[in-house]
Amino acid sequence: MNTNHEIRTVAKRLRALREDWEYSLEYVAEKCGVSTEELQNYESGDFDIPMNFLCNAAHVLGVQTSELLAGETPNMSTYWLVRKGQGESVVRHSAYKYRGLALGFKDAKASPFIVTVDPEMEKEMHLNSHEGQEFNLVLKGTLLLNINGKELILNEGDSVYFNATLPHGMKALNDQPARFFAIII
């Protein structure tokens, strides 16, 4: 699916949920920690929507992040199986390709993803933050991870667990895509 189409689809869901709750732009923006202008940009579908914002917005709008991303209410409570190379594509930032691994599991306590970072798309590192904690395990390539100003180089097989409320971001090194397993808790 085209990334621009995915962004516009999520943007429509975001706006529709906000309007269904009859929340003002100002209220949701304040609760999510962004400016009203940023929220308008995200709702327009013309701008990348950061994952940290999506997690915060889902909480404010009373839905699971997976519902905001995939447009379906998760209903599996026994297990959710994702075969190799599969998983729901999730819009994020144009430099990152996310594959959701638990989007169909009702009331999931964590959000696991396979994330691919494109070195061509992320010339400058984009920092974000979100509630909770995060675990990353590098599956392929090399990542430069910045956590609150501390830079770590992670190679294949390396992992890190960190406080996700701190500003953090990653960049693929060596002009090669990097892929990692991420769990947002």
Side-chain angles (χ1 to χ4, degrees):
M1 182 180 273
N2 178 308
T3 301
N4 290 337
H5 177 72
E6 289 177 349
I7 292 171
R8 283 188 175 85
T9 300
V10 172
K12 284 181 186 177
R13 281 189 211 113
L14 175 63
R15 183 175 183 166
L17 279 168
R18 181 183 59 77
E19 290 175 347
D20 284 349
W21 280 106
E22 297 180 1
Y23 289 157
S24 68
L25 280 165
E26 294 78 15
Y27 174 80
V28 173
E30 179 184 334
K31 292 291 185 186
C32 291
V34 299
S35 70
T36 303
E37 182 180 357
E38 285 175 291
L39 178 56
Q40 286 176 314
N41 287 341
Y42 299 152
E43 286 188 356
S44 76
D46 294 329
F47 294 84
D48 286 328
I49 306 172
M51 184 60 82
N52 63 309
F53 172 79
L54 291 171
C55 292
N56 293 338
H59 177 74
V60 169
L61 298 170
V63 297
Q64 291 182 214
T65 304
S66 59
E67 190 171 347
L68 185 56
L69 294 170
E72 297 177 13
T73 303
N75 57 17
M76 299 303 292
S77 60
T78 304
Y79 66 89
W80 180 253
L81 175 66
V82 176
R83 299 284 183 194
K84 181 179 179 179
Q86 301 298 304
E88 185 79 28
S89 177
V90 176
V91 66
R92 164 57 175 88
H93 184 276
S94 60
Y96 304 99
K97 294 179 182 146
Y98 278 65
R99 289 271 173 213
L101 302 177
L103 295 180
F105 196 86
K106 184 178 180 179
D107 299 323
K109 303 287 188 238
S111 300
F113 298 95
I114 297 291
V115 184
T116 303
V117 182
D118 183 344
E120 295 301 315
M121 296 297 290
E122 187 77 346
K123 295 298 181 188
E124 291 186 30
M125 189 179 296
H126 172 80
L127 299 177
N128 68 77
S129 62
H130 51 86
E131 291 299 314
Q133 301 168 347
E134 187 167 330
F135 171 79
N136 297 165
L137 169 65
V138 178
L139 303 172
K140 178 182 175 188
T142 303
L143 278 176
L144 172 63
L145 175 64
N146 182 318
I147 303 172
N148 203 31
K150 173 71 175 169
E151 291 189 342
L152 306 168
I153 294 179
L154 302 173
N155 295 298
E156 192 172 310
D158 292 345
S159 67
V160 62
Y161 191 99
F162 60 94
N163 177 349
T165 64
L166 299 172
H168 61 279
M170 58 269 315
K171 181 177 177 178
L173 297 179
N174 306 324
D175 294 320
Q176 296 293 316
R179 188 169 49 242
F180 64 97
F181 175 60
I183 302 175
I184 299 171
I185 305 163

